[in-house]
Amino acid sequence: SMVRLGFPESACDTGIGPNRDPSLPYVALSYDSLVTPPSTVAVDLSDTSARRVLKTRDVPGYDPDDFACDRTSVRSRDGEVDIPVSLVYRRDALRGGEGAPTHLLGYGSYGASIECSFRSTRLPLLNRGVVCAIAHVRGGGVLGR
């Protein structure tokens, strides 16, 4: 039977990791998100909720609890489709209901898109209260083909 794996963050990037020994009772997955540095996670095949982090990339001075990521959508200009948008920001940047400066990225063409991956190069912006948004526009395959 098929089992859908859930992950704690709505905007993340997962894939099959190194699985060289077929006798192991788990599969290794690569996992990262807009706030979680790349890691390799073991998922138990008999209980997919049982997970163990095998390896993670160290980012000196970074505390993931200071940041959050969300997945939302905006209506296209022609009104035909909702465009998925991934957001990453410092938790203290959006307090009080006020707006924040935003850096918007977007690409979607020929089946390529911008993944919801961790990038330490975003940290200088995030630490200054800038919200980083990724628009997953048409053509990138995020909504299917």
Side-chain angles (χ1 to χ4, degrees), residues 55-77:
K55 183 170 86 171
T56 190
R57 189 175 112 204
D58 183 46
V59 181
Y62 175 71
D63 183 356
D65 292 334
D66 292 341
F67 301 87
C69 63
D70 293 313
R71 188 77 175 242
T72 188
S73 64
V74 295
R75 199 77 170 142
S76 64
R77 189 176 296 161

Side-chain angles (χ1 to χ4, degrees), residues 10 20 29 54 62 65-66 70 74 81-82 89 91 132:
S10 59
R20 293 178 182 91
L29 300 179
L54 301 174
Y62 175 71
D65 292 334
D66 292 341
D70 293 313
V74 295
V81 70
D82 286 332
Y89 52 90
R91 291 184 187 275
C132 292

Side-chain angles (χ1 to χ4, degrees), residues 1 4 6 15 31 33 52-54 57 71 74 76 97 120 123 129:
S1 69
R4 182 181 179 102
Y31 178 84
S33 76
R52 183 170 41 102
V53 176
L54 301 174
R57 189 175 112 204
R71 188 77 175 242
V74 295
S76 64
S120 59
L123 292 176

Side-chain angles (χ1 to χ4, degrees), residues 89-90 92-102 128-131:
Y89 52 90
R90 278 190 66 92
D92 57 7
L94 296 179
R95 291 200 178 133
E98 295 182 20
T102 302
R128 288 174 172 87
V130 174
V131 174

Side-chain angles (χ1 to χ4, degrees), residues 32-122:
D32 69 320
S33 76
L34 294 170
V35 297
T36 302
S39 60
T40 302
V41 179
V43 177
D44 189 313
L45 294 173
S46 62
D47 176 9
T48 59
S49 66
R51 299 174 185 191
R52 183 170 41 102
V53 176
L54 301 174
K55 183 170 86 171
T56 190
R57 189 175 112 204
D58 183 46
V59 181
Y62 175 71
D63 183 356
D65 292 334
D66 292 341
F67 301 87
C69 63
D70 293 313
R71 188 77 175 242
T72 188
S73 64
V74 295
R75 199 77 170 142
S76 64
R77 189 176 296 161
D78 63 9
E80 294 292 320
V81 70
D82 286 332
I83 300 168
V85 178
S86 299
L87 304 170
V88 60
Y89 52 90
R90 278 190 66 92
R91 291 184 187 275
D92 57 7
L94 296 179
R95 291 200 178 133
E98 295 182 20
T102 302
H103 179 245
L104 174 63
L105 295 170
Y107 182 80
S109 183
Y110 305 105
S113 64
I114 299 172
E115 301 292 343
C116 292
S117 301
F118 180 84
R119 297 281 184 261
S120 59
T121 54
R122 287 189 193 111

